[in-house]
Amino acid sequence: MNNAKKLEILGDSARYDRCNYINSSVESFLRGKIPGVYNASTSNGCKVPLLKVLMTNKCSNDCRYCINHNKHRFNRVEFSPEELASLFIDYYQNRYVEGLFLSSGIPNDAENSMENMVEVISKLRLDYGYKGYIHLKILPGSSYDLIKRAVSLADRVSINIEAATPEGLSELSSTKKYDTDILRRINWIKRLTKRDKTLAPSGQTTQFIVGATDETDQQILDRVNWLYKKMDIKRSYFSTFEPMKDTPLEFHEEPSSKRSPRLYQADYLLNSYGFNLDELVFDENDNLKLDADPKYYSALSHKEIFPVEINEAPYEELLRVPGIGKISAARIIRNRKLGNCFKKLEDLKNIGVITSRAEPFIKLDNKYQSTLEF
Ligand code: SF4
């Protein structure tokens, strides 16, 4: 099989791995145009085309949601390290892509597969002199030495945690071990990158599969919070479970399409806004409510801090007001330092506050802005 055909298959297989914010409509696969090229969104909203590809779809693992699971009889293909490295360089030199996202199935043992992936990026860095972006997946069960080499070559590394608990992972796969194959490797990466900031300078991320087990949002966010606090994870991604034909979970119920976006919003509050887990509100099933965003529900359940006086509240309190984000909170503080007082909603609107959301939760110059009950 030629490389173009392989890329069509292995590029398509890579689309379930998230390497940017939110969902596959944002991380668009340029299907039919340039095989394997996806637009990833950066944190500042820019679109960056990446070659996103698996080394191989051969796999001896039995992940029940995955099309590549070991019992599926279909066409399996693989790239050699040299084939993939030269194909990437060709794409890069032709300006089809600005970076690489490399993952792989695990045909035999993780060590062999990881070695092949490290060889690809080693060729790119050392033989081809490539200095651009590389995101490398770390395979569960890889050795410390290979992980050490991987973080010395890649900008970002990630190992998919998949589930919030060992029990959750065991529902998804009998071949991956939560504590040893995954958490231990996450901890190794943390130690390596903490010791030497030049290793994987864009840090370590991870990904959850949402809705393939009965794990609740509270369990997922509890794990996410732990990963941020104890493992120095930079980002968590939430991949909504999609039942796929020819997989053991083919007839499993599909989760609500609103669930992952709500998890991203809650994750943002934890990771970026400094919220504590106990500030989030869950329903009677320990899931986030889907009809409004988690910040709104958090505000409703913490009436003791509202309404917030915009002309006096510290930055952390401003961030807890629905409709006020990090940029508008910083602008409020800056304006106050300049001696400006906010007197009417229009003043807030002018600096980017969504006043229709903020109104019931604030006072301006000691005056309530809304008669709405919140
Ligand atoms: S390890 Fe699991 S998720 Fe990854 S390719 Fe193999 S079966 Fe799929």
Side-chain angles (χ1 to χ4, degrees), residues 13 17 54 56-70 76 103-107 139-140 160 162 172-173 175-176 209:
S13 303
D17 255 313
L54 302 185
T56 178
N57 58 5
K58 296 180 183 176
C59 196
S60 52
N61 281 346
D62 64 355
C63 308
R64 301 177 71 224
Y65 54 86
C66 178
I67 196 77
N68 300 324
H69 69 92
N70 56 9
R76 308 271 183 167
S103 187
S104 183
I106 307 174
L139 302 177
N160 287 354
E162 317 289 25
L172 297 176
S173 169
T175 44
K176 292 190 212 169
I209 308 269

Side-chain angles (χ1 to χ4, degrees), residues 336-349:
R336 287 189 339 209
K337 278 191 185 146
L338 294 172
N340 300 330
C341 179
F342 293 91
K343 295 203 157 111
K344 44 190 194 320
L345 287 174
E346 200 62 19
D347 299 339
L348 288 177
K349 207 175 204 166

Side-chain angles (χ1 to χ4, degrees), residues 64-305:
R64 301 177 71 224
Y65 54 86
C66 178
I67 196 77
N68 300 324
H69 69 92
N70 56 9
K71 298 201 177 59
H72 187 198
R73 300 282 161 254
F74 75 121
N75 201 6
R76 308 271 183 167
V77 292
E78 68 187 325
F79 280 117
S80 71
E82 180 50 49
E83 279 173 340
L84 194 49
S86 70
L87 192 147
F88 172 77
I89 285 298
D90 187 41
Y91 267 42
Y92 182 69
Q93 286 170 346
N94 280 295
R95 299 179 183 229
Y96 298 151
V97 294
E98 291 174 26
L100 173 67
F101 179 100
L102 181 58
S103 187
S104 183
I106 307 174
N108 297 305
D109 62 311
E111 198 61 359
N112 230 347
S113 310
M114 195 70 230
E115 207 167 330
N116 284 338
M117 292 164 76
V118 170
E119 201 182 327
V120 173
I121 63 169
S122 176
K123 279 181 186 300
L124 291 177
R125 294 290 195 221
L126 305 179
D127 300 351
Y128 291 98
Y130 171 70
K131 292 191 170 50
Y133 180 77
I134 294 176
H135 181 155
L136 188 71
K137 279 279 163 199
I138 301 296
L139 302 177
S142 305
S143 71
Y144 182 82
D145 285 346
L146 272 177
I147 291 176
K148 199 170 166 191
R149 182 120 176 86
V151 293
S152 74
L153 294 163
D155 295 278
R156 168 162 279 183
V157 293
S158 56
I159 177 162
N160 287 354
I161 194 165
E162 317 289 25
T165 60
E167 297 73 31
L169 185 68
S170 66
E171 278 183 52
L172 297 176
S173 169
S174 73
T175 44
K176 292 190 212 169
K177 302 289 168 266
Y178 199 73
D179 289 334
T180 49
D181 289 345
I182 295 175
L183 294 189
R184 184 179 293 166
R185 270 69 190 172
I186 287 177
N187 192 33
W188 285 348
I189 297 166
K190 178 194 93 172
R191 281 184 6 223
L192 284 162
T193 52
K194 206 169 181 173
R195 221 181 289 150
D196 182 347
K197 300 284 180 212
T198 65
L199 302 178
S202 298
Q204 165 174 211
T205 64
T206 193
Q207 176 173 291
F208 291 81
I209 308 269
V210 175
T213 68
D214 292 337
E215 285 185 336
T216 64
D217 290 347
Q218 187 159 19
Q219 284 176 303
I220 294 172
L221 289 167
D222 200 20
R223 178 60 71 186
V224 163
N225 200 37
W226 178 82
L227 288 167
Y228 288 141
K229 293 214 154 81
K230 303 283 185 204
M231 292 292 136
D232 288 345
I233 290 275
K234 291 282 177 286
R235 291 281 311 266
S236 299
Y237 295 95
F238 304 102
S239 180
T240 305
F241 164 70
E242 297 170 34
M244 270 186 289
K245 199 170 170 313
D246 299 322
T247 64
L249 294 183
E250 180 176 349
F251 301 108
H252 190 282
E253 192 187 341
E254 200 163 351
S256 161
S257 60
K258 287 186 186 162
R259 194 171 167 196
S260 289
R262 292 283 177 243
L263 281 167
Y264 274 113
Q265 288 170 329
D267 169 85
Y268 201 63
L269 296 179
L270 295 173
N271 192 22
S272 191
Y273 278 40
F275 275 53
N276 294 314
L277 191 61
D278 61 11
E279 291 180 82
L280 298 178
V281 177
F282 299 95
D283 67 13
E284 62 283 4
N285 298 316
D286 293 337
N287 288 317
L288 293 167
K289 298 178 185 222
L290 297 179
D291 59 334
D293 72 273
K295 189 174 176 185
Y296 177 75
Y297 273 114
S298 173
L300 287 187
S301 72
H302 289 89
K303 293 185 180 178
E304 67 284 358
I305 70 161

Side-chain angles (χ1 to χ4, degrees), residues 356 359-361 369-374:
S356 57
E359 205 180 338
F361 300 96
Q369 295 303 305
S370 171
T371 52
L372 289 176
E373 282 279 331
F374 71 86

